Amino acid sequence: MAELILGVAGLLVGVPGLLQVIGSLADTVLQRVKHYDEDYQRRLELVITINKSQMQEIFLFLDDGQAVPVALNDEVVRMFQILRNIFERLLNIFPSVGLGNQISQRMKISASMKVKLDSEIRELEEWSSRIFIRTLVFVMFGGQKVPNTIPTDSEDGYEAAALRKVERLRDAVDQSLGRIKQAPQLLLCRPDEPDDRHPLSNSSLELSTPKDTDKKAFIVEYRTYNDDAREQEINYQRQIVREVARILHQADPRFMGLLQSDGFLCDPLKNRFELHFPFPPGSRNPRTLLDLLCDPGNRRLGVRHPLNQRIGLAKSIVTALFVLHAANFVHKQIRPDNVLVFDREHASLDSSVNSGAREATSDKQTYPYVLGGPFLVGFDNVRKVDAASLMMPVEDWKRNIYLCPERQRLQPGDEFRMQHDIYSLGVVLLEIAFWASFQDRKSPQLGRRIWKDESQSILCGPEELKKIYLALATGAVPRLMGQKYADAVLACLTGLESEVGDKRNYEDSDGIIVGTKYVMEVVKKLEEISM
């Protein structure tokens, strides 16, 4: 492996060879999997195509003649080497099917093969996410455009298109919050027949089911105004909703952890505007993270999903926030009730299995046994990072407990910044660790800790809350989730003070924490966790 010990100059010698080997292995895997189960074929085709394109793109960035830090060089080479090992293991799972690879019928995948395949695909998806984030750093923070070398309409251009969506997301923020009017309006037409709407538990969102059976259900988020609001104020609210719709119209749920909006509606009879979010492909049964954390079954029956899935959930939420900050705007409401978790639709079970067994197995593929994919919602307060903050106080204690002390103090200089989002993220990561919520007054692990009295009438102050969170992060969290997870929580709550000493190293000239140095550190800490 001496060829992998590379410096700045050596990277461009080693990576092309790795790319060629990985590409050849990936193509061979795809050729062989065509003769097996179609569901696995589709999964592998998607993940492999993404990986191939990402590797090509990151190489194009590195080959652009710009200086690249040695640490990043080593990290990229290590990632590529790990991918090569995964593809080699996948190749061993699928034996060759003979001359010309021509067979008359599809071959069955045994139970042992499925176990191995699921493990390797999960690892491939994990490393795909890591490489995507590294490439995103180049695009968003390096001032570089996605190379046009890979055509977006080709198979290998799949991920190039995804990265260009990130670029368009960033551009949409600039256009919308810069009051540029070239973007589409995205004003939806009201259906002839009203749809059925039901509020999601522990959420301000609603689930809408159209009367037309050909149309699919979607999520609705509202922004309301007062009965006596003047026309000028209503127009201002309309403009905000339109701008948020423009921004989220560019989101790609597969990569960003953000729901894509297909537009908005005006409802003057109910004094509100609506944002509409279709379900991500392959998703169903949305519930907020808060609803999952407060589920009475947690206390009665205990947690039934694997620990590694909880860590994966945390990683996905952190990645979604990273994408938001990469697009140069802050969320301002990172809380478990603003995280939607969807069950994943699973392939139908083997028809040879009796219906009772199929139903029992299917039940084991959803919550509480399996955690689905999370998506950030709650964008009524989102704004560009350098836009003026209104400095409005928060009266609701269920929102206050996620805000850092300086944000609750609201003194000059306390405008909402990126690090405030990440402090809130640290509180959510604590809740994920305990699988309970500070909002649940009945929870002995968390909910009862934040009150000064047993009657729960006096909430602890901002600084007291922070001390409670830090004590939990250094005390119980390492035992529950491991030290690396605890380090990630502490990094969020302390602003990396323990790591950098001088926070000025993590600020730009305007005092804004730079995402590449701040969020990436949290991302890396979670990436280091292995189960």
Side-chain angles (χ1 to χ4, degrees):
M1 295 306 194
E3 71 274 15
L4 296 181
I5 304 175
L6 303 169
V8 175
L11 178 68
L12 299 182
V13 176
V15 169
L18 278 172
L19 281 173
Q20 185 175 4
V21 171
I22 293 172
S24 177
L25 289 170
D27 290 340
T28 305
V29 170
L30 287 176
Q31 284 296 323
R32 292 187 182 181
V33 77
K34 287 180 180 178
H35 305 298
Y36 290 83
D37 184 275
E38 289 187 3
D39 294 320
Y40 277 97
Q41 177 185 339
R42 286 192 291 269
R43 283 184 69 188
L44 274 172
E45 282 181 344
L46 175 63
V47 179
I48 288 175
T49 299
I50 289 170
N51 270 281
K52 285 176 62 180
S53 297
Q54 285 179 157
M55 289 185 296
Q56 291 174 357
E57 289 202 338
I58 201 168
F59 171 68
L60 289 172
F61 285 126
L62 296 173
D63 195 30
D64 200 30
Q66 300 191 27
V68 180
V70 174
L72 180 58
N73 291 352
D74 296 340
E75 188 176 16
V76 169
V77 173
R78 182 174 66 90
M79 286 182 171
F80 283 11
Q81 182 61 50
I82 289 172
L83 286 177
R84 188 180 82 169
N85 295 339
I86 295 174
F87 282 121
E88 287 176 344
R89 294 196 296 269
L90 282 170
L91 203 59
N92 290 331
I93 293 175
F94 295 106
S96 176
V97 294
L99 289 175
N101 290 334
Q102 299 295 323
I103 58 174
S104 58
Q105 61 182 4
R106 292 190 178 274
M107 301 173 66
K108 291 186 176 295
I109 296 179
S110 66
S112 61
M113 285 178 66
K114 288 182 179 180
V115 172
K116 293 178 181 178
L117 271 174
D118 287 336
S119 175
E120 297 299 341
I121 290 174
R122 282 196 300 269
E123 190 167 355
L124 197 58
E125 289 172 335
E126 168 74 14
W127 285 98
S128 171
S129 174
R130 294 190 187 192
I131 292 178
F132 174 67
I133 290 174
R134 297 321 184 271
T135 315
L136 186 61
V137 171
F138 282 103
V139 176
M140 308 307 285
F141 297 104
Q144 295 164 293
K145 288 288 186 180
V146 176
N148 290 318
T149 308
I150 306 173
T152 56
D153 57 350
S154 72
E155 184 180 53
D156 285 342
Y158 185 82
E159 179 61 15
L163 285 175
R164 289 192 178 91
K165 286 185 178 182
V166 179
E167 280 193 318
R168 290 198 293 270
L169 175 67
R170 178 188 59 189
D171 294 342
V173 175
D174 293 338
Q175 288 176 351
S176 296
L177 299 181
R179 308 296 187 262
I180 299 175
K181 301 304 181 184
Q182 292 90 337
Q185 299 300 309
L186 297 175
L187 180 62
L188 300 172
C189 296
R190 185 168 297 280
D192 295 333
E193 191 174 4
D195 48 10
D196 293 327
R197 296 193 177 180
H198 305 282
L200 293 179
S201 179
N202 287 302
S203 174
S204 60
L205 306 177
E206 288 191 350
L207 175 63
S208 176
T209 306
K211 298 285 188 181
D212 186 344
T213 56
D214 292 333
K215 296 181 179 179
K216 296 182 178 180
F218 56 92
I219 300 295
V220 183
E221 182 173 306
Y222 298 104
R223 189 181 184 99
T224 60
Y225 52 88
N226 295 329
D227 288 334
D228 57 354
R230 293 178 297 180
E231 184 176 357
Q232 182 179 2
E233 180 182 346
I234 296 174
N235 288 336
Y236 174 72
Q237 297 290 349
R238 180 185 291 107
Q239 181 176 334
I240 293 175
V241 173
R242 180 176 62 243
E243 290 164 355
V244 172
R246 288 176 182 173
I247 293 167
L248 296 179
H249 186 64
Q250 304 299 340
D252 188 331
R254 292 167 299 182
F255 302 98
M256 302 178 187
L258 303 172
L259 295 177
Q260 184 182 46
S261 172
D262 59 3
F264 71 100
L265 274 178
C266 305
D267 189 351
L269 296 179
K270 295 184 179 180
N271 297 340
R272 66 187 186 188
F273 295 94
E274 304 175 2
L275 276 170
H276 290 190
F277 299 94
F279 284 20
S283 299
R284 64 185 182 89
N285 189 30
R287 296 176 65 182
T288 66
L289 177 58
L290 178 61
D291 194 49
L292 301 183
L293 297 175
C294 295
D295 192 322
N298 297 336
R299 292 193 292 272
R300 187 174 66 252
L301 301 173
V303 176
R304 284 161 285 177
H305 56 262
L307 180 60
N308 66 316
Q309 293 187 14
R310 205 181 313 176
I311 292 173
L313 182 80
K315 290 179 180 179
S316 297
I317 296 172
V318 173
T319 299
L321 183 58
F322 174 77
V323 172
L324 283 176
H325 286 183
N328 201 32
F329 63 97
V330 291
H331 185 276
K332 300 181 67 178
Q333 298 188 106
I334 302 297
R335 302 189 306 270
D337 43 309
N338 279 329
V339 176
L340 273 187
V341 182
F342 289 80
D343 283 334
R344 294 187 175 96
E345 292 179 349
H346 292 271
S348 58
L349 300 172
D350 193 327
S351 58
S352 63
V353 180
N354 67 67
S355 59
R358 282 202 304 271
E359 184 176 349
T361 305
S362 177
D363 289 343
K364 298 291 185 179
Q365 300 301 314
T366 59
Y367 186 82
Y369 302 99
V370 176
L371 292 181
F375 299 89
L376 277 181
V377 293
F379 289 94
D380 52 319
N381 279 326
V382 70
R383 66 170 176 82
K384 193 175 178 182
V385 73
D386 56 358
S389 177
L390 296 178
M391 301 281 285
M392 296 292 290
V394 177
E395 304 295 342
D396 187 350
W397 71 268
K398 291 184 177 181
R399 298 187 178 192
N400 262 324
I401 59 177
Y402 297 94
L403 297 178
C404 64
E406 67 179 51
R407 180 57 191 167
Q408 295 188 51
R409 187 180 59 212
L410 288 179
Q411 297 298 313
D414 293 340
E415 291 82 2
F416 208 102
R417 302 189 296 277
M418 281 185 180
Q419 65 267 42
H420 298 158
D421 268 348
I422 300 178
Y423 179 93
S424 303
L425 174 66
V427 183
V428 174
L429 293 182
L430 275 177
E431 295 180 315
I432 291 174
F434 285 89
W435 205 245
S437 177
F438 290 105
Q439 296 188 46
D440 183 1
R441 291 174 181 261
K442 297 180 181 179
S443 168
Q445 303 147 294
L446 298 183
R448 297 177 185 175
R449 292 175 179 266
I450 60 175
W451 300 92
K452 290 184 176 182
D453 57 331
E454 292 186 4
S455 64
Q456 297 185 355
S457 60
I458 305 175
L459 185 70
C460 292
E463 295 293 346
E464 292 175 286
L465 288 174
K466 183 174 181 178
K467 289 180 181 179
I468 293 170
Y469 301 154
L470 291 174
L472 291 170
T474 55
V477 172
R479 298 193 299 272
L480 291 170
M481 305 288 282
Q483 188 59 52
K484 290 180 179 179
Y485 187 96
D487 290 342
V489 176
L490 286 169
C492 292
L493 296 174
T494 63
L496 298 173
E497 292 165 359
S498 59
E499 305 254 339
V500 300
D502 185 359
K503 283 178 63 177
R504 288 176 298 180
N505 293 332
Y506 277 65
E507 297 179 2
D508 62 14
S509 58
D510 296 321
I512 299 171
I513 301 297
V514 180
T516 45
K517 293 183 178 179
Y518 194 58
V519 189
M520 273 302 297
E521 288 301 322
V522 180
V523 170
K524 287 181 179 179
K525 289 178 186 297
L526 289 177
E527 284 181 346
E528 291 172 359
I529 300 173
S530 59
M531 298 297 294

